[in-house]
Amino acid sequence: KSSNAPICYLHPYELSGNYPLIENMNLYRKFRHTFNVKHVAYKTASIMKDFTPISISRYLQYNNYID
């Protein structure tokens, strides 16, 4: 998918599965933020295999946004 330029950012805890517990979250929000978090690393790896990763600075240079 060389014509696309996705930018992907994940919090380190999303990849490690160590989601920080926030006590004052309501049940719905806690569910939404933690459900399937243990599968994020696998899903991310399967998506990223279709792309060649580069740094943001290299992307900006390649597209002549910076020198």
Side-chain angles (χ1 to χ4, degrees):
K1 310 202 184 186
S2 60
S3 64
N4 294 330
I7 295 176
C8 178
Y9 174 81
L10 297 169
H11 292 280
Y13 63 77
E14 291 174 314
L15 293 175
S16 70
N18 295 325
Y19 189 82
L21 296 175
I22 301 172
E23 297 299 324
N24 60 351
M25 252 192 221
N26 69 40
L27 186 59
Y28 169 73
R29 190 170 176 213
K30 192 177 288 189
F31 174 79
R32 188 172 54 120
H33 285 274
T34 60
F35 184 74
N36 277 336
V37 75
K38 63 184 172 192
H39 301 291
V40 171
Y42 172 77
K43 289 179 180 182
T44 302
S46 65
I47 291 168
M48 296 303 291
K49 70 180 175 143
D50 294 333
F51 299 94
T52 303
I54 63 171
S55 68
I56 295 289
S57 61
R58 180 68 186 117
Y59 171 81
L60 294 174
Q61 289 171 347
Y62 182 78
N63 289 286
N64 297 316
Y65 291 113
I66 61 174
D67 294 324

Short mmCIF file of all heavy atoms in Angstrom, two decimals:
data_model
loop_
_atom_site.label_atom_id
_atom_site.label_comp_id
_atom_site.label_asym_id
_atom_site.label_seq_id
_atom_site.Cartn_x
_atom_site.Cartn_y
_atom_site.Cartn_z
N LYS A 1 0.84 -1.17 0.00
CA LYS A 1 0.00 0.00 0.00
C LYS A 1 0.89 1.24 0.00
O LYS A 1 0.79 2.09 0.86
CB LYS A 1 -0.92 -0.06 1.19
CG LYS A 1 -1.61 -1.39 1.26
CD LYS A 1 -2.86 -1.38 2.03
CE LYS A 1 -3.29 -2.80 2.03
NZ LYS A 1 -4.43 -3.22 2.52
N SER A 2 1.74 1.32 -0.96
CA SER A 2 2.72 2.38 -1.00
C SER A 2 2.13 3.75 -1.28
O SER A 2 2.75 4.76 -1.00
CB SER A 2 3.80 2.07 -2.03
OG SER A 2 3.20 1.94 -3.30
N SER A 3 0.91 3.83 -1.81
CA SER A 3 0.31 5.13 -2.08
C SER A 3 -0.35 5.73 -0.85
O SER A 3 -0.71 6.89 -0.86
CB SER A 3 -0.71 5.01 -3.21
OG SER A 3 -1.77 4.17 -2.81
N ASN A 4 -0.51 4.96 0.20
CA ASN A 4 -1.11 5.45 1.43
C ASN A 4 -0.03 5.80 2.43
O ASN A 4 1.04 5.24 2.41
CB ASN A 4 -2.03 4.40 2.04
CG ASN A 4 -3.23 4.12 1.16
OD1 ASN A 4 -3.70 4.99 0.45
ND2 ASN A 4 -3.71 2.91 1.21
N ALA A 5 -0.34 6.71 3.32
CA ALA A 5 0.62 7.11 4.34
C ALA A 5 -0.05 7.12 5.71
O ALA A 5 -0.31 8.17 6.26
CB ALA A 5 1.19 8.48 4.01
N PRO A 6 -0.34 5.95 6.24
CA PRO A 6 -0.99 5.94 7.56
C PRO A 6 -0.01 6.30 8.67
O PRO A 6 1.17 6.03 8.58
CB PRO A 6 -1.45 4.49 7.70
CG PRO A 6 -0.46 3.72 6.91
CD PRO A 6 -0.10 4.61 5.75
N ILE A 7 -0.53 6.93 9.67
CA ILE A 7 0.25 7.21 10.87
C ILE A 7 -0.44 6.47 12.00
O ILE A 7 -1.64 6.61 12.20
CB ILE A 7 0.34 8.71 11.17
CG1 ILE A 7 1.11 9.41 10.06
CG2 ILE A 7 0.98 8.95 12.53
CD1 ILE A 7 1.19 10.90 10.20
N CYS A 8 0.33 5.68 12.70
CA CYS A 8 -0.23 4.86 13.77
C CYS A 8 0.50 5.17 15.07
O CYS A 8 1.73 5.13 15.11
CB CYS A 8 -0.05 3.38 13.40
SG CYS A 8 -0.65 2.26 14.66
N TYR A 9 -0.25 5.51 16.09
CA TYR A 9 0.34 5.73 17.41
C TYR A 9 -0.42 4.87 18.41
O TYR A 9 -1.65 4.88 18.44
CB TYR A 9 0.25 7.20 17.85
CG TYR A 9 0.73 7.37 19.27
CD1 TYR A 9 2.09 7.44 19.53
CD2 TYR A 9 -0.15 7.37 20.33
CE1 TYR A 9 2.55 7.55 20.83
CE2 TYR A 9 0.30 7.47 21.63
CZ TYR A 9 1.65 7.57 21.86
OH TYR A 9 2.10 7.66 23.16
N LEU A 10 0.33 4.14 19.19
CA LEU A 10 -0.26 3.34 20.25
C LEU A 10 0.44 3.68 21.55
O LEU A 10 1.66 3.87 21.57
CB LEU A 10 -0.08 1.85 19.97
CG LEU A 10 -0.77 1.33 18.72
CD1 LEU A 10 -0.31 -0.07 18.40
CD2 LEU A 10 -2.28 1.35 18.89
N HIS A 11 -0.30 3.75 22.62
CA HIS A 11 0.30 3.91 23.93
C HIS A 11 1.06 2.64 24.27
O HIS A 11 0.61 1.54 23.92
CB HIS A 11 -0.77 4.17 24.99
CG HIS A 11 -1.45 5.48 24.84
ND1 HIS A 11 -0.90 6.66 25.28
CD2 HIS A 11 -2.66 5.79 24.30
CE1 HIS A 11 -1.73 7.65 25.00
NE2 HIS A 11 -2.79 7.15 24.41
N PRO A 12 2.19 2.75 24.94
CA PRO A 12 2.94 1.54 25.31
C PRO A 12 2.10 0.52 26.07
O PRO A 12 2.25 -0.67 25.86
CB PRO A 12 4.08 2.09 26.17
CG PRO A 12 4.26 3.48 25.70
CD PRO A 12 2.88 3.96 25.32
N TYR A 13 1.19 0.97 26.92
CA TYR A 13 0.38 0.03 27.69
C TYR A 13 -0.57 -0.75 26.78
O TYR A 13 -0.98 -1.84 27.12
CB TYR A 13 -0.38 0.70 28.82
CG TYR A 13 -1.39 1.74 28.40
CD1 TYR A 13 -2.62 1.37 27.89
CD2 TYR A 13 -1.12 3.10 28.53
CE1 TYR A 13 -3.55 2.31 27.50
CE2 TYR A 13 -2.04 4.05 28.16
CZ TYR A 13 -3.25 3.65 27.64
OH TYR A 13 -4.17 4.58 27.26
N GLU A 14 -0.91 -0.19 25.62
CA GLU A 14 -1.78 -0.92 24.70
C GLU A 14 -1.06 -2.13 24.11
O GLU A 14 -1.66 -3.16 23.87
CB GLU A 14 -2.27 -0.01 23.59
CG GLU A 14 -3.24 1.04 24.08
CD GLU A 14 -3.63 2.04 23.03
OE1 GLU A 14 -2.75 2.55 22.31
OE2 GLU A 14 -4.83 2.31 22.91
N LEU A 15 0.23 -1.99 23.89
CA LEU A 15 1.00 -3.11 23.35
C LEU A 15 1.38 -4.12 24.43
O LEU A 15 1.51 -5.30 24.16
CB LEU A 15 2.26 -2.60 22.66
CG LEU A 15 1.99 -1.79 21.39
CD1 LEU A 15 3.27 -1.21 20.84
CD2 LEU A 15 1.29 -2.64 20.35
N SER A 16 1.57 -3.64 25.64
CA SER A 16 1.98 -4.55 26.71
C SER A 16 0.80 -5.24 27.37
O SER A 16 0.98 -6.26 28.03
CB SER A 16 2.77 -3.78 27.78
OG SER A 16 1.91 -2.91 28.49
N GLY A 17 -0.40 -4.69 27.21
CA GLY A 17 -1.57 -5.26 27.86
C GLY A 17 -1.72 -4.82 29.31
O GLY A 17 -2.62 -5.26 30.00
N ASN A 18 -0.85 -3.93 29.77
CA ASN A 18 -0.92 -3.43 31.16
C ASN A 18 -1.68 -2.11 31.19
O ASN A 18 -1.12 -1.07 31.49
CB ASN A 18 0.49 -3.24 31.73
CG ASN A 18 1.21 -4.55 31.86
OD1 ASN A 18 0.59 -5.56 32.17
ND2 ASN A 18 2.50 -4.54 31.62
N TYR A 19 -2.94 -2.18 30.89
CA TYR A 19 -3.77 -0.98 30.86
C TYR A 19 -3.90 -0.42 32.27
O TYR A 19 -4.25 -1.15 33.19
CB TYR A 19 -5.15 -1.30 30.29
CG TYR A 19 -5.98 -0.08 30.03
CD1 TYR A 19 -5.82 0.65 28.87
CD2 TYR A 19 -6.91 0.35 30.96
CE1 TYR A 19 -6.58 1.77 28.62
CE2 TYR A 19 -7.67 1.49 30.73
CZ TYR A 19 -7.49 2.19 29.55
OH TYR A 19 -8.24 3.31 29.32
N PRO A 20 -3.63 0.88 32.46
CA PRO A 20 -3.74 1.45 33.80
C PRO A 20 -5.19 1.48 34.27
O PRO A 20 -6.08 1.88 33.53
CB PRO A 20 -3.20 2.87 33.64
CG PRO A 20 -3.35 3.18 32.20
CD PRO A 20 -3.25 1.87 31.46
N LEU A 21 -5.43 1.04 35.47
CA LEU A 21 -6.78 1.05 36.02
C LEU A 21 -7.10 2.43 36.58
O LEU A 21 -6.36 2.95 37.41
CB LEU A 21 -6.91 0.00 37.11
CG LEU A 21 -6.75 -1.44 36.65
CD1 LEU A 21 -6.79 -2.39 37.83
CD2 LEU A 21 -7.82 -1.80 35.63
N ILE A 22 -8.17 2.99 36.11
CA ILE A 22 -8.61 4.30 36.58
C ILE A 22 -9.88 4.07 37.37
O ILE A 22 -10.89 3.61 36.84
CB ILE A 22 -8.83 5.27 35.40
CG1 ILE A 22 -7.53 5.43 34.61
CG2 ILE A 22 -9.35 6.61 35.90
CD1 ILE A 22 -7.67 6.21 33.33
N GLU A 23 -9.82 4.36 38.63
CA GLU A 23 -10.92 4.02 39.54
C GLU A 23 -12.21 4.76 39.26
O GLU A 23 -13.29 4.21 39.40
CB GLU A 23 -10.48 4.29 40.99
CG GLU A 23 -9.31 3.43 41.43
CD GLU A 23 -9.62 1.95 41.39
OE1 GLU A 23 -10.75 1.56 41.69
OE2 GLU A 23 -8.71 1.17 41.04
N ASN A 24 -12.14 6.01 38.83
CA ASN A 24 -13.36 6.80 38.69
C ASN A 24 -14.01 6.70 37.31
O ASN A 24 -14.84 7.50 36.95
CB ASN A 24 -13.10 8.27 39.05
CG ASN A 24 -12.07 8.90 38.15
OD1 ASN A 24 -11.41 8.23 37.37
ND2 ASN A 24 -11.90 10.20 38.27
N MET A 25 -13.67 5.70 36.51
CA MET A 25 -14.29 5.48 35.22
C MET A 25 -15.62 4.76 35.41
O MET A 25 -15.71 3.84 36.20
CB MET A 25 -13.40 4.57 34.36
CG MET A 25 -12.71 5.23 33.23
SD MET A 25 -12.00 3.97 32.15
CE MET A 25 -10.46 4.71 31.81
N ASN A 26 -16.64 5.19 34.65
CA ASN A 26 -17.90 4.45 34.74
C ASN A 26 -17.75 3.10 34.02
O ASN A 26 -16.80 2.88 33.28
CB ASN A 26 -19.07 5.27 34.21
CG ASN A 26 -19.03 5.50 32.72
OD1 ASN A 26 -18.67 4.62 31.94
ND2 ASN A 26 -19.40 6.71 32.30
N LEU A 27 -18.67 2.21 34.25
CA LEU A 27 -18.56 0.84 33.75
C LEU A 27 -18.47 0.79 32.22
O LEU A 27 -17.66 0.04 31.67
CB LEU A 27 -19.75 0.01 34.24
CG LEU A 27 -19.70 -1.47 33.92
CD1 LEU A 27 -18.47 -2.11 34.53
CD2 LEU A 27 -20.96 -2.15 34.44
N TYR A 28 -19.28 1.58 31.53
CA TYR A 28 -19.24 1.58 30.07
C TYR A 28 -17.87 2.02 29.56
O TYR A 28 -17.30 1.38 28.68
CB TYR A 28 -20.33 2.50 29.50
CG TYR A 28 -20.15 2.75 28.02
CD1 TYR A 28 -20.45 1.75 27.10
CD2 TYR A 28 -19.67 3.96 27.55
CE1 TYR A 28 -20.27 1.96 25.74
CE2 TYR A 28 -19.48 4.18 26.20
CZ TYR A 28 -19.79 3.17 25.30
OH TYR A 28 -19.60 3.38 23.96
N ARG A 29 -17.35 3.10 30.09
CA ARG A 29 -16.04 3.61 29.65
C ARG A 29 -14.93 2.62 29.97
O ARG A 29 -14.04 2.39 29.15
CB ARG A 29 -15.77 4.95 30.30
CG ARG A 29 -14.58 5.64 29.72
CD ARG A 29 -14.48 7.06 30.22
NE ARG A 29 -13.25 7.63 29.70
CZ ARG A 29 -12.53 8.52 30.33
NH1 ARG A 29 -12.92 8.96 31.51
NH2 ARG A 29 -11.44 8.98 29.81
N LYS A 30 -14.98 2.01 31.13
CA LYS A 30 -13.98 1.01 31.51
C LYS A 30 -14.01 -0.17 30.53
O LYS A 30 -12.98 -0.64 30.07
CB LYS A 30 -14.22 0.53 32.93
CG LYS A 30 -13.07 -0.28 33.51
CD LYS A 30 -13.34 -0.65 34.95
CE LYS A 30 -13.24 0.57 35.82
NZ LYS A 30 -13.27 0.26 37.25
N PHE A 31 -15.21 -0.62 30.17
CA PHE A 31 -15.36 -1.70 29.21
C PHE A 31 -14.80 -1.30 27.84
O PHE A 31 -14.03 -2.03 27.23
CB PHE A 31 -16.83 -2.09 29.08
CG PHE A 31 -17.09 -3.09 28.00
CD1 PHE A 31 -16.83 -4.44 28.20
CD2 PHE A 31 -17.59 -2.68 26.77
CE1 PHE A 31 -17.07 -5.37 27.20
CE2 PHE A 31 -17.83 -3.60 25.77
CZ PHE A 31 -17.56 -4.95 25.98
N ARG A 32 -15.17 -0.14 27.38
CA ARG A 32 -14.75 0.34 26.05
C ARG A 32 -13.24 0.47 25.96
O ARG A 32 -12.64 0.18 24.91
CB ARG A 32 -15.41 1.70 25.79
CG ARG A 32 -15.21 2.22 24.39
CD ARG A 32 -16.04 3.46 24.17
NE ARG A 32 -15.78 4.45 25.18
CZ ARG A 32 -15.31 5.67 24.93
NH1 ARG A 32 -15.08 6.05 23.70
NH2 ARG A 32 -15.11 6.52 25.90
N HIS A 33 -12.58 0.88 27.03
CA HIS A 33 -11.14 1.09 27.02
C HIS A 33 -10.32 -0.16 27.32
O HIS A 33 -9.12 -0.18 27.06
CB HIS A 33 -10.75 2.20 28.00
CG HIS A 33 -11.11 3.56 27.49
ND1 HIS A 33 -10.28 4.29 26.68
CD2 HIS A 33 -12.22 4.31 27.66
CE1 HIS A 33 -10.86 5.43 26.38
NE2 HIS A 33 -12.04 5.46 26.96
N THR A 34 -10.94 -1.17 27.85
CA THR A 34 -10.17 -2.35 28.23
C THR A 34 -10.55 -3.62 27.48
O THR A 34 -9.78 -4.57 27.46
CB THR A 34 -10.28 -2.63 29.74
OG1 THR A 34 -11.65 -2.86 30.08
CG2 THR A 34 -9.72 -1.48 30.55
N PHE A 35 -11.71 -3.66 26.85
CA PHE A 35 -12.14 -4.87 26.15
C PHE A 35 -11.20 -5.17 24.98
O PHE A 35 -10.93 -4.31 24.16
CB PHE A 35 -13.57 -4.71 25.64
CG PHE A 35 -14.10 -5.96 24.99
CD1 PHE A 35 -14.46 -7.05 25.76
CD2 PHE A 35 -14.22 -6.04 23.62
CE1 PHE A 35 -14.94 -8.21 25.18
CE2 PHE A 35 -14.70 -7.20 23.01
CZ PHE A 35 -15.06 -8.28 23.80
N ASN A 36 -10.68 -6.38 24.94
CA ASN A 36 -9.77 -6.86 23.90
C ASN A 36 -8.42 -6.16 23.86
O ASN A 36 -7.69 -6.28 22.88
CB ASN A 36 -10.42 -6.80 22.51
CG ASN A 36 -11.28 -7.99 22.24
OD1 ASN A 36 -11.10 -9.06 22.83
ND2 ASN A 36 -12.24 -7.83 21.35
N VAL A 37 -8.05 -5.43 24.90
CA VAL A 37 -6.76 -4.75 24.90
C VAL A 37 -5.61 -5.76 24.81
O VAL A 37 -4.56 -5.45 24.25
CB VAL A 37 -6.61 -3.82 26.13
CG1 VAL A 37 -6.37 -4.58 27.40
CG2 VAL A 37 -5.51 -2.80 25.90
N LYS A 38 -5.83 -6.98 25.25
CA LYS A 38 -4.78 -7.99 25.18
C LYS A 38 -4.51 -8.44 23.75
O LYS A 38 -3.49 -9.08 23.48
CB LYS A 38 -5.12 -9.19 26.07
CG LYS A 38 -6.36 -9.92 25.66
CD LYS A 38 -6.70 -11.03 26.64
CE LYS A 38 -8.06 -11.61 26.29
NZ LYS A 38 -8.55 -12.48 27.33
N HIS A 39 -5.40 -8.10 22.81
CA HIS A 39 -5.22 -8.49 21.42
C HIS A 39 -4.63 -7.38 20.55
O HIS A 39 -4.42 -7.58 19.35
CB HIS A 39 -6.55 -8.93 20.82
CG HIS A 39 -7.18 -10.08 21.53
ND1 HIS A 39 -6.65 -11.35 21.50
CD2 HIS A 39 -8.27 -10.14 22.32
CE1 HIS A 39 -7.40 -12.15 22.23
NE2 HIS A 39 -8.39 -11.44 22.75
N VAL A 40 -4.36 -6.22 21.13
CA VAL A 40 -3.90 -5.07 20.35
C VAL A 40 -2.57 -5.36 19.64
O VAL A 40 -2.43 -5.04 18.46
CB VAL A 40 -3.79 -3.80 21.22
CG1 VAL A 40 -3.11 -2.67 20.48
CG2 VAL A 40 -5.16 -3.37 21.69
N ALA A 41 -1.62 -5.95 20.32
CA ALA A 41 -0.31 -6.21 19.70
C ALA A 41 -0.45 -7.12 18.48
O ALA A 41 0.14 -6.85 17.43
CB ALA A 41 0.64 -6.81 20.73
N TYR A 42 -1.21 -8.18 18.61
CA TYR A 42 -1.41 -9.11 17.49
C TYR A 42 -2.11 -8.42 16.32
O TYR A 42 -1.70 -8.53 15.17
CB TYR A 42 -2.21 -10.33 17.94
CG TYR A 42 -2.61 -11.22 16.80
CD1 TYR A 42 -1.69 -12.07 16.20
CD2 TYR A 42 -3.91 -11.16 16.29
CE1 TYR A 42 -2.06 -12.87 15.12
CE2 TYR A 42 -4.28 -11.96 15.21
CZ TYR A 42 -3.35 -12.80 14.63
OH TYR A 42 -3.72 -13.57 13.57
N LYS A 43 -3.18 -7.70 16.61
CA LYS A 43 -3.93 -7.03 15.55
C LYS A 43 -3.09 -5.96 14.87
O LYS A 43 -3.13 -5.81 13.65
CB LYS A 43 -5.21 -6.41 16.12
CG LYS A 43 -6.25 -7.44 16.50
CD LYS A 43 -7.49 -6.78 17.07
CE LYS A 43 -8.53 -7.81 17.45
NZ LYS A 43 -9.74 -7.18 17.96
N THR A 44 -2.31 -5.23 15.65
CA THR A 44 -1.44 -4.19 15.08
C THR A 44 -0.40 -4.82 14.17
O THR A 44 -0.15 -4.33 13.07
CB THR A 44 -0.76 -3.40 16.20
OG1 THR A 44 -1.77 -2.81 17.03
CG2 THR A 44 0.12 -2.30 15.64
N ALA A 45 0.22 -5.92 14.61
CA ALA A 45 1.22 -6.60 13.79
C ALA A 45 0.62 -7.08 12.48
O ALA A 45 1.25 -6.97 11.41
CB ALA A 45 1.83 -7.75 14.56
N SER A 46 -0.59 -7.60 12.51
CA SER A 46 -1.20 -8.11 11.28
C SER A 46 -1.56 -6.97 10.32
O SER A 46 -1.48 -7.15 9.10
CB SER A 46 -2.42 -8.97 11.59
OG SER A 46 -3.44 -8.22 12.17
N ILE A 47 -1.92 -5.81 10.84
CA ILE A 47 -2.21 -4.66 9.98
C ILE A 47 -0.90 -4.09 9.42
O ILE A 47 -0.81 -3.78 8.23
CB ILE A 47 -2.97 -3.57 10.76
CG1 ILE A 47 -4.36 -4.06 11.09
CG2 ILE A 47 -3.01 -2.26 9.99
CD1 ILE A 47 -5.10 -3.20 12.10
N MET A 48 0.11 -3.95 10.27
CA MET A 48 1.35 -3.31 9.87
C MET A 48 2.17 -4.12 8.87
O MET A 48 3.03 -3.56 8.19
CB MET A 48 2.20 -2.99 11.10
CG MET A 48 1.57 -1.98 12.04
SD MET A 48 1.15 -0.41 11.26
CE MET A 48 2.78 0.24 10.95
N LYS A 49 1.93 -5.40 8.75
CA LYS A 49 2.70 -6.21 7.79
C LYS A 49 2.48 -5.76 6.35
O LYS A 49 3.29 -6.03 5.49
CB LYS A 49 2.40 -7.69 7.95
CG LYS A 49 1.03 -8.08 7.51
CD LYS A 49 0.79 -9.56 7.68
CE LYS A 49 -0.66 -9.78 7.33
NZ LYS A 49 -0.99 -10.92 6.67
N ASP A 50 1.40 -5.03 6.09
CA ASP A 50 1.11 -4.53 4.75
C ASP A 50 1.78 -3.20 4.44
O ASP A 50 1.64 -2.68 3.34
CB ASP A 50 -0.40 -4.37 4.57
CG ASP A 50 -1.15 -5.69 4.61
OD1 ASP A 50 -0.53 -6.72 4.28
OD2 ASP A 50 -2.33 -5.69 4.99
N PHE A 51 2.51 -2.65 5.41
CA PHE A 51 3.15 -1.35 5.25
C PHE A 51 4.63 -1.42 5.60
O PHE A 51 5.04 -2.28 6.36
CB PHE A 51 2.47 -0.31 6.15
CG PHE A 51 1.01 -0.11 5.84
CD1 PHE A 51 0.04 -0.82 6.52
CD2 PHE A 51 0.61 0.78 4.86
CE1 PHE A 51 -1.31 -0.65 6.24
CE2 PHE A 51 -0.73 0.95 4.56
CZ PHE A 51 -1.69 0.24 5.26
N THR A 52 5.39 -0.50 5.04
CA THR A 52 6.79 -0.37 5.39
C THR A 52 6.92 0.80 6.35
O THR A 52 6.68 1.95 5.96
CB THR A 52 7.65 -0.11 4.13
OG1 THR A 52 7.44 -1.17 3.22
CG2 THR A 52 9.12 -0.01 4.50
N PRO A 53 7.25 0.53 7.61
CA PRO A 53 7.30 1.64 8.58
C PRO A 53 8.50 2.55 8.36
O PRO A 53 9.59 2.10 7.99
CB PRO A 53 7.41 0.92 9.92
CG PRO A 53 7.98 -0.42 9.60
CD PRO A 53 7.55 -0.76 8.22
N ILE A 54 8.27 3.84 8.54
CA ILE A 54 9.33 4.83 8.53
C ILE A 54 9.03 5.82 9.64
O ILE A 54 7.90 5.91 10.12
CB ILE A 54 9.48 5.56 7.18
CG1 ILE A 54 8.22 6.36 6.83
CG2 ILE A 54 9.84 4.59 6.07
CD1 ILE A 54 8.39 7.28 5.63
N SER A 55 10.02 6.59 10.02
CA SER A 55 9.81 7.60 11.07
C SER A 55 9.03 8.78 10.50
O SER A 55 8.98 8.99 9.28
CB SER A 55 11.15 8.07 11.61
OG SER A 55 11.84 8.81 10.60
N ILE A 56 8.46 9.56 11.39
CA ILE A 56 7.73 10.77 10.97
C ILE A 56 8.69 11.72 10.26
O ILE A 56 8.35 12.29 9.23
CB ILE A 56 7.08 11.46 12.19
CG1 ILE A 56 6.00 10.58 12.80
CG2 ILE A 56 6.51 12.83 11.80
CD1 ILE A 56 4.76 10.43 11.99
N SER A 57 9.90 11.89 10.81
CA SER A 57 10.84 12.82 10.18
C SER A 57 11.22 12.37 8.77
O SER A 57 11.30 13.19 7.85
CB SER A 57 12.09 13.01 11.05
OG SER A 57 12.76 11.80 11.21
N ARG A 58 11.40 11.07 8.57
CA ARG A 58 11.73 10.56 7.23
C ARG A 58 10.55 10.77 6.29
O ARG A 58 10.72 11.15 5.13
CB ARG A 58 12.08 9.07 7.31
CG ARG A 58 12.43 8.46 5.98
CD ARG A 58 13.77 9.03 5.45
NE ARG A 58 13.99 8.53 4.11
CZ ARG A 58 14.06 9.30 3.03
NH1 ARG A 58 13.97 10.60 3.12
NH2 ARG A 58 14.25 8.77 1.86
N TYR A 59 9.34 10.56 6.75
CA TYR A 59 8.15 10.80 5.93
C TYR A 59 8.08 12.26 5.51
O TYR A 59 7.81 12.57 4.34
CB TYR A 59 6.89 10.40 6.70
CG TYR A 59 5.62 10.81 6.01
CD1 TYR A 59 5.11 10.04 4.96
CD2 TYR A 59 4.95 11.97 6.37
CE1 TYR A 59 3.96 10.43 4.30
CE2 TYR A 59 3.80 12.36 5.71
CZ TYR A 59 3.30 11.59 4.68
OH TYR A 59 2.17 11.99 4.02
N LEU A 60 8.31 13.16 6.45
CA LEU A 60 8.26 14.59 6.14
C LEU A 60 9.35 14.99 5.14
O LEU A 60 9.11 15.79 4.24
CB LEU A 60 8.38 15.41 7.43
CG LEU A 60 7.21 15.27 8.40
CD1 LEU A 60 7.51 16.00 9.70
CD2 LEU A 60 5.91 15.75 7.78
N GLN A 61 10.54 14.43 5.30
CA GLN A 61 11.62 14.69 4.34
C GLN A 61 11.27 14.14 2.96
O GLN A 61 11.45 14.82 1.94
CB GLN A 61 12.93 14.07 4.82
CG GLN A 61 13.55 14.76 6.00
CD GLN A 61 14.72 13.99 6.58
OE1 GLN A 61 14.93 12.83 6.24
NE2 GLN A 61 15.47 14.63 7.45
N TYR A 62 10.79 12.92 2.91
CA TYR A 62 10.46 12.25 1.66
C TYR A 62 9.41 13.03 0.87
O TYR A 62 9.42 13.07 -0.35
CB TYR A 62 9.97 10.83 1.96
CG TYR A 62 9.64 10.01 0.74
CD1 TYR A 62 10.65 9.43 -0.03
CD2 TYR A 62 8.32 9.82 0.36
CE1 TYR A 62 10.34 8.68 -1.16
CE2 TYR A 62 8.01 9.07 -0.77
CZ TYR A 62 9.02 8.51 -1.51
OH TYR A 62 8.71 7.77 -2.63
N ASN A 63 8.48 13.65 1.58
CA ASN A 63 7.40 14.41 0.93
C ASN A 63 7.69 15.90 0.85
O ASN A 63 6.80 16.70 0.59
CB ASN A 63 6.08 14.15 1.66
CG ASN A 63 5.60 12.74 1.39
OD1 ASN A 63 5.12 12.45 0.29
ND2 ASN A 63 5.76 11.87 2.35
N ASN A 64 8.96 16.27 1.08
CA ASN A 64 9.44 17.66 0.95
C ASN A 64 8.74 18.65 1.86
O ASN A 64 8.55 19.80 1.51
CB ASN A 64 9.33 18.12 -0.51
CG ASN A 64 10.22 17.30 -1.41
OD1 ASN A 64 11.37 17.03 -1.09
ND2 ASN A 64 9.67 16.88 -2.54
N TYR A 65 8.33 18.19 3.05
CA TYR A 65 7.79 19.10 4.03
C TYR A 65 8.90 19.74 4.84
O TYR A 65 8.73 20.84 5.34
CB TYR A 65 6.81 18.37 4.97
CG TYR A 65 5.54 17.94 4.29
CD1 TYR A 65 5.25 16.59 4.10
CD2 TYR A 65 4.62 18.87 3.84
CE1 TYR A 65 4.08 16.19 3.48
CE2 TYR A 65 3.45 18.48 3.20
CZ TYR A 65 3.19 17.14 3.03
OH TYR A 65 2.04 16.73 2.41
N ILE A 66 10.01 19.03 5.00
CA ILE A 66 11.18 19.56 5.69
C ILE A 66 12.43 19.14 4.91
O ILE A 66 12.39 18.24 4.07
CB ILE A 66 11.29 19.06 7.14
CG1 ILE A 66 11.41 17.53 7.19
CG2 ILE A 66 10.12 19.54 7.97
CD1 ILE A 66 11.67 16.99 8.58
N ASP A 67 13.54 19.83 5.19
CA ASP A 67 14.81 19.48 4.52
C ASP A 67 15.52 18.36 5.24
O ASP A 67 15.47 18.16 6.38
CB ASP A 67 15.72 20.71 4.46
CG ASP A 67 15.11 21.77 3.55
OD1 ASP A 67 14.50 21.41 2.54
OD2 ASP A 67 15.28 22.96 3.88
#
